[in-house]
Amino acid sequence: MMTISHKSMEEIRIKARELLEKKDADGVLALRRGEEAVVAPHVFREPGEIGRLVTEPKWPLAKTAMRILQSSPRDFRLAVVVRGCDDRALVELAKRNQVTEENIRFIGLACTEEQAGRCLCERPYPRTIHGGKPQPGVHFLQDERVSSLLEGDPAERMARWAAILRRCIKCYGCRNACPICVCVPCKLEDDVWVEKGSIPAEMLVFHLIRAFHLSDACVACGACQEACPVSIPVMALQFAMRQALKDRYGYEPGLDGARKSPVLKNFLEEPETGKDYPAWITHGGTGHE
Amino acid sequence: MNAEKNKQGLQGGEKKGKAGAPSPKILVFACRWCGGIGAGRAGWKRMDLPVSFRVIPVECAALVEPDAIFRALASGIDGVAVLGCHIGGCRYNEANHAALKRLELVKVLLDTAGIGGRRLLLAFGTAHEDHQFAEVIRNFHEFIGKEPSLKPWLGAGEDIFLRREE
């Protein structure tokens, strides 16, 4: 197993070095193993530095890449070492006009099967792969950690969630870690929606508003629950909505930059599969009866 | 019998709550072109209606933010109804299509959290369908009345820091 990740790391290094040597990118954002074996994100600018580039551990870089691009000159081209989730997150950020895809060079890294299982990732590989081999994904219901949360009748489930969410210390870590959460101002900081100074956060207005704002954008990277200091499985709130979008509209966030969320469109442009609507809908316009 | 119920309601919800079972609270967001007019006509025609609902007129069902639904449920409302125009009869470029899609996703989230997607009612009718409005609200009132109260689970809850000291 060690050799696999080593091999994929070498492949990534070769691609990164090539990009810098050909001057295809002005910098490569990746993890660097520094002194005392400290691993941290770093923008490599010289091909000579690439020897210190590492790919482990998993570190979502999408938001970091966004911040770097936003504070750089417009023509700055940044290459980013992306896993599947980073790749999808950057596509979603591009849809929201936070980054321009032309400025990004994707260096794709496929996760190992073990990592996919740990993250509950359905698609543990980016669109283009430069390092590693694509592994099959894991469906969220296959995993006991999630299925045990979602089973039972509503009252049981509500009691379970209420007990879990009562642990919340309202640190906003889930929001800050999320690669898609970029709104300024954020509703979770607004007294109208979330009462200030009350801990734990209210179940509905804090957690469900946060979850719903990401309903059609969540790329299931798991950054929110990895950031949670009291280990609330916040991503489990997203799975059912992701599945609903997939079943109803065949939509998965982050796969296609040109396709906007189906909930923003009407039934003519984004029809719901398996549902019949009266024939007169297809005529379009405001067909008043 | 229904007139009697209405009378009780007019005397004030407080009194009724103490005497009998507490009445569920229903918040209705009604679009001003269809649902709102239908609701107005139902009242004007003196149809049999439960006293448990209050209507907030909105310009379009698509303007009902999902966040407002969560906020309403968190502030002690037991059920939320969103009424819009017929699918295909929207005044604002099929905005109610998007509203329907979005609110159906809200139902999925409410189900995931165990609150129950059926606490959110979506209905589409025209301005002259006051009878439909009355029926929908009566059924919804009956359904919500059987559902357990959300109160024990909601609100900021007890302060965990205080609890730890005990």
Side-chain angles (χ1 to χ4, degrees), chain A residues 150 154 157-159 161-162 166 187 192-194 198-200 202-205 208-209 211-213 215 236-237 240-241 244-245 248-249 262-263 265-268 270 272 275 280-281 284-289, chain B residues 65-68 70-71 73-74 86-94 97-98 100-102 104-106 108-116 119 126 148-150 152-161 163:
Chain A
L150 301 181
R157 232 176 304 153
M158 182 157 65
W161 272 110
R166 206 159 275 170
K187 267 193 175 169
V192 174
W193 302 102
V194 180
S198 73
I199 295 171
E202 281 178 75
M203 170 178 174
L204 272 157
V205 283
L208 294 202
I209 284 182
F212 192 77
H213 280 196
S215 56
L237 287 171
M241 286 189 289
L245 283 173
R248 289 176 191 171
Y249 312 103
V263 295
K265 305 212 164 168
N266 59 34
F267 285 113
L268 312 177
E270 284 278 359
E272 194 170 328
K275 242 191 188 177
W280 41 263
I281 290 186
T286 54
H288 291 182
E289 301 88 325
Chain B
E65 286 174 81
D67 308 347
F70 296 132
R71 178 76 262 178
L73 291 172
H86 277 175
I87 297 295
C90 184
R91 270 66 171 175
Y92 301 106
N93 297 330
E94 279 121 13
H97 291 211
L100 176 57
K101 285 180 172 185
R102 197 160 54 211
E104 281 193 336
L105 218 49
V106 173
V108 175
L109 181 59
L110 289 178
D111 270 333
T112 311
I115 290 155
R119 282 183 191 271
T126 59
S149 167
L150 286 175
W153 313 118
L154 301 180
E158 31 182 340
D159 194 319
I160 50 166
F161 297 114
R163 203 175 60 203

Side-chain angles (χ1 to χ4, degrees), chain B residues 4-165:
Chain B
E4 218 179 283
K5 255 191 204 165
N6 280 346
K7 217 174 158 191
Q8 274 184 340
L10 287 171
Q11 281 165 0
E14 282 290 306
K15 252 186 188 171
K16 198 193 166 204
K18 271 176 199 166
S23 168
K25 286 182 190 154
I26 295 171
L27 188 64
V28 182
F29 291 105
C31 105
R32 87 166 175 101
W33 298 96
C34 294
I37 298 174
R41 284 171 62 99
W44 177 57
K45 285 191 177 174
R46 303 285 189 272
M47 287 187 166
D48 282 346
L49 287 167
V51 291
S52 54
F53 74 96
R54 298 290 180 273
V55 179
I56 296 182
V58 288
E59 191 66 27
C60 175
L63 282 178
V64 181
E65 286 174 81
D67 308 347
I69 292 162
F70 296 132
R71 178 76 262 178
L73 291 172
S75 358
I77 303 287
D78 298 299
V80 179
V82 179
L83 310 180
C85 299
H86 277 175
I87 297 295
C90 184
R91 270 66 171 175
Y92 301 106
N93 297 330
E94 279 121 13
N96 64 355
H97 291 211
L100 176 57
K101 285 180 172 185
R102 197 160 54 211
L103 295 178
E104 281 193 336
L105 218 49
V106 173
K107 284 182 172 221
V108 175
L109 181 59
L110 289 178
D111 270 333
T112 311
I115 290 155
R118 287 189 66 192
R119 282 183 191 271
L120 171 63
L121 174 90
L122 309 173
F124 299 88
T126 59
H128 65 263
E129 287 175 351
D130 38 34
H131 50 89
Q132 191 210 33
F133 171 83
E135 196 186 337
V136 160
I137 291 296
R138 272 201 302 272
N139 287 344
F140 194 47
H141 170 86
E142 204 176 306
F143 169 75
I144 292 292
K146 284 182 210 146
E147 288 284 288
S149 167
L150 286 175
K151 252 185 202 143
W153 313 118
L154 301 180
E158 31 182 340
D159 194 319
I160 50 166
F161 297 114
L162 281 180
R163 203 175 60 203
R164 271 181 203 161
E165 277 169 25

Side-chain angles (χ1 to χ4, degrees), chain A residues 6-253:
Chain A
H6 236 276
K7 192 169 156 249
S8 64
M9 187 168 80
E10 276 310 315
E11 288 165 343
I12 294 291
R13 280 180 181 174
I14 290 166
K15 177 70 187 168
R17 198 174 286 129
E18 185 193 313
L19 278 172
L20 283 179
E21 275 167 0
K22 281 192 187 162
K23 303 231 178 291
D24 256 354
D26 299 316
V28 174
L29 174 64
L31 296 178
R32 181 179 71 158
R33 196 179 155 94
E35 276 116 46
E36 313 276 338
V38 172
V39 176
H42 177 71
V43 178
F44 296 87
R45 285 171 181 270
E46 301 298 327
E49 280 183 291
I50 293 291
R52 293 168 79 178
L53 186 152
V54 290
T55 51
E56 299 295 329
K58 173 200 170 192
W59 191 316
L61 289 171
K63 211 167 192 178
T64 318
M66 180 192 83
R67 297 266 189 255
I68 291 170
L69 283 166
Q70 283 175 346
S71 55
S72 309
R74 256 167 192 275
D75 55 350
F76 186 78
R77 296 156 307 159
L78 185 70
V80 189
V81 174
V82 290
R83 289 171 186 273
C85 46
D86 292 324
D87 187 33
R88 295 191 292 273
L90 283 167
V91 168
E92 284 297 314
L93 287 172
K95 277 189 206 172
R96 285 160 179 73
N97 293 330
Q98 299 296 318
V99 293
T100 31
E101 261 194 80
E102 291 85 70
N103 288 1
I104 307 174
R105 308 285 177 273
F106 294 92
I107 306 176
L109 169 69
C111 293
T112 61
E113 203 169 354
E114 187 213 344
Q115 283 169 331
R118 207 186 310 141
C119 286
L120 287 181
C121 191
E122 275 185 85
R123 208 179 276 273
Y125 42 85
R127 288 168 297 177
T128 45
I129 300 168
H130 296 102
K133 289 223 166 58
Q135 301 293 334
V138 185
H139 192 267
F140 64 93
L141 281 180
Q142 285 170 3
D143 193 273
E144 216 178 80
R145 286 170 292 170
V146 177
S147 58
S148 63
L149 275 171
L150 301 181
E151 71 190 3
D153 62 5
E156 215 175 296
R157 232 176 304 153
M158 182 157 65
R160 195 185 298 135
W161 272 110
I164 292 169
L165 295 176
R166 206 159 275 170
R167 296 204 295 258
C168 177
I169 56 169
K170 215 176 177 185
C171 67
Y172 287 79
C174 43
R175 181 203 62 178
N176 295 346
C178 177
I180 318 287
C181 273
V182 289
C183 299
V184 179
C186 176
K187 267 193 175 169
L188 299 182
E189 288 171 11
D190 191 341
D191 216 13
V192 174
W193 302 102
V194 180
E195 196 190 334
K196 277 186 184 163
S198 73
I199 295 171
E202 281 178 75
M203 170 178 174
L204 272 157
V205 283
F206 188 88
H207 296 283
L208 294 202
I209 284 182
R210 194 199 64 80
F212 192 77
H213 280 196
L214 296 161
S215 56
D216 55 352
C218 175
V219 293
C221 65
C224 46
Q225 60 187 27
E226 278 165 23
C228 186
V230 289
S231 51
I232 297 172
V234 263
M235 206 171 69
L237 287 171
Q238 306 289 352
F239 285 124
M241 286 189 289
R242 274 172 60 84
Q243 189 64 41
L245 283 173
K246 212 171 171 183
D247 293 347
R248 289 176 191 171
Y249 312 103
Y251 177 78
E252 226 179 299

